Every structure is written in structure tokens, then in C-alpha cells.
């Protein structure tokens, strides 16, 4: 199992995520819906195809990405502005 999974860090939470799975699905499977903040509210995926921008996340390196368009990769760290 471990070979097919990476450990993802979301703020202080760590969870296993299947290698090459869409990051949005990994977050949702772990009940994480607050990928980012905009206008003071939590955001989560809506369209699942890169249009709505509701799944925008910020990585620890400062880059932003759409979770529904990003594959799980090793050493991913996502900022949680909570
Ligand atoms: S869920 Fe709409 S852009 Fe990602």
C-alpha cells in the first residue's frame, strides 16, 4: 500500500493520498473541504473541471493550483489559513 500513496500535509493535518489521484478527490475523501479562503469564506470543489476556481489552493512554496486539476505528488504541503 505505501508505495501507491504519498503523505499530504494540509495545515497541521497529514493524510495518505493515492499517487497520481486528483488532489481534490483526496481532500474530499479525507473530509477536507476548506482548501482555501476567498472573501472570508471556506472554499471547496464545485465543477471538478477547472472552471469555477472554487478549489484553489495555496501550496507551502507560495504557488497556487486548482485541486481538481492537480495530481497528488510526493511532499505536497497545502496551506490552511484557518
Ligand atoms: S472544482 Fe471548479 S475549478 Fe476546481
Amino acid at each position: 500500500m505505501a508505495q501507491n500513496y504519498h503523505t499530504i500535509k494540509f495545515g497541521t493535518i497529514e493524510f495518505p493520498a493515492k499517487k497520481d489521484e486528483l488532489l481534490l478527490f483526496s481532500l474530499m475523501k479525507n473530509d477536507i473541504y476548506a482548501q482555501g479562503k476567498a472573501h472570508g469564506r471556506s472554499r471547496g470543489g464545485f465543477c471538478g473541471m477547472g472552471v469555477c476556481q472554487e478549489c484553489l489552493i495555496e501550496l507551502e512554496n507560495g504557488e497556487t493550483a486548482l485541486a481538481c486539476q492537480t495530481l497528488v505528488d510526493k511532499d505536497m504541503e497545502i496551506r490552511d489559513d484557518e
Side-chain angles (χ1 to χ4, degrees):
M1 174 180 143
Q3 290 180 342
N4 294 328
Y5 284 80
H6 291 304
T7 299
I8 302 294
K9 194 171 178 187
F10 178 82
T12 58
I13 301 168
E14 289 188 0
F15 61 91
K18 195 170 182 181
K19 188 177 175 182
D20 293 332
E21 177 176 61
L22 285 173
L23 182 58
L24 178 62
F25 296 155
S26 296
L27 291 166
M28 292 173 73
K29 284 196 293 192
N30 286 278
D31 293 326
I32 298 172
Y33 294 95
Q35 288 97 341
K37 298 280 185 187
H39 308 294
R41 63 181 176 86
S42 298
R43 298 167 64 112
F46 179 71
C47 71
M49 58 185 195
V51 175
C52 72
Q53 310 284 306
E54 288 295 309
C55 66
L56 187 68
I57 55 165
E58 184 175 1
L59 302 171
E60 281 299 323
N61 64 10
E63 293 179 10
T64 57
L66 296 174
C68 74
Q69 303 294 301
T70 303
L71 297 177
V72 167
D73 201 0
K74 64 179 179 179
D75 302 326
M76 286 186 118
E77 292 187 31
I78 303 166
R79 288 187 182 168
D80 178 13
D81 293 337
E82 286 281 313

